[in-house]
Amino acid sequence: NGVVILSLMFVTCKEPQAPDYKGIESLTITQIGLNQSRVVAQIKLYNPNKFRLQLKYADVNISADNKFIGRCIIDSTILIPRADSFFIPVSVNIDLRNILGNAMQLLLRGQVKFNGDGFVRLKKTGICFRVPVHFQQMERADSLLQQIH
């Protein structure tokens, strides 16, 4: 009996994997300023774990072509289905000075490399885990521009 209980505790306490970044959807600029603008979007992610999770907190620095553009903080509970895709609404204040300096290069190249580095706090069966997050994704500039509302 003791071995079975210890085995179950080991399986249920295993640290979850961070969700996989799958892309940006529904990009909207809600505020435009000289130095800073606010962008809201739906981020598509995939949960590679075979169990449901709760996202309790996220703190991720966002870069475009290796230049910091903003920090995304999520401080609300989001339910994550097991082994499935899901969306997280995000709102980020973007530093336009870091984007406008390379705007012509981005348009000519046609792609933007987005990086995210930080951590998420995930909850699984009552236990919270702090899991590092890193993603890198090339996005087509024309696709991003078409999504802007």
Side-chain angles (χ1 to χ4, degrees):
N1 271 343
V3 173
V4 171
I5 291 172
L6 284 174
S7 296
L8 285 174
M9 285 180 63
F10 177 74
V11 169
T12 58
C13 292
K14 180 182 173 193
E15 184 172 303
Q17 293 178 327
D20 297 328
Y21 174 81
K22 295 297 180 184
I24 300 171
E25 295 189 13
S26 304
L27 193 64
T28 305
I29 298 174
T30 60
Q31 177 185 351
I32 296 177
L34 292 176
N35 296 326
Q36 190 168 304
S37 295
R38 177 171 289 284
V39 175
V40 297
Q42 295 284 325
I43 303 298
K44 185 176 183 178
L45 300 164
Y46 177 79
N47 178 10
N49 301 288
K50 295 181 181 181
F51 41 83
R52 291 180 292 165
L53 295 166
Q54 291 181 4
L55 178 95
K56 301 300 276 182
Y57 185 83
D59 186 346
V60 180
N61 288 324
I62 310 292
S63 300
D65 286 337
N66 299 319
K67 292 193 183 244
F68 176 80
I69 59 169
R71 182 175 175 201
C72 178
I73 295 177
I74 299 170
D75 192 9
S76 59
T77 300
I78 297 171
L79 301 176
I80 300 173
R82 65 181 178 169
D84 200 0
S85 295
F86 61 100
F87 291 90
I88 294 181
V90 296
S91 176
V92 180
N93 289 329
I94 301 292
D95 186 346
L96 289 179
R97 292 171 293 191
N98 288 339
I99 294 175
L100 294 177
N102 291 336
M104 186 57 93
Q105 281 182 330
L106 296 177
L107 290 174
L108 291 174
R109 204 173 55 236
Q111 290 189 330
V112 181
K113 180 176 74 173
F114 284 101
N115 289 359
D117 287 293
F119 72 93
V120 293
R121 217 173 281 134
L122 299 172
K123 187 174 183 180
K124 173 188 167 195
T125 59
I127 300 171
C128 282
F129 297 88
R130 187 177 192 266
V131 180
V133 172
H134 173 76
F135 67 83
Q136 182 174 307
Q137 178 81 22
M138 294 299 287
E139 296 281 350
R140 289 185 26 224
D142 61 342
S143 175
L144 289 173
L145 292 173
Q146 289 174 359
Q147 291 185 48
I148 295 175
H149 297 106

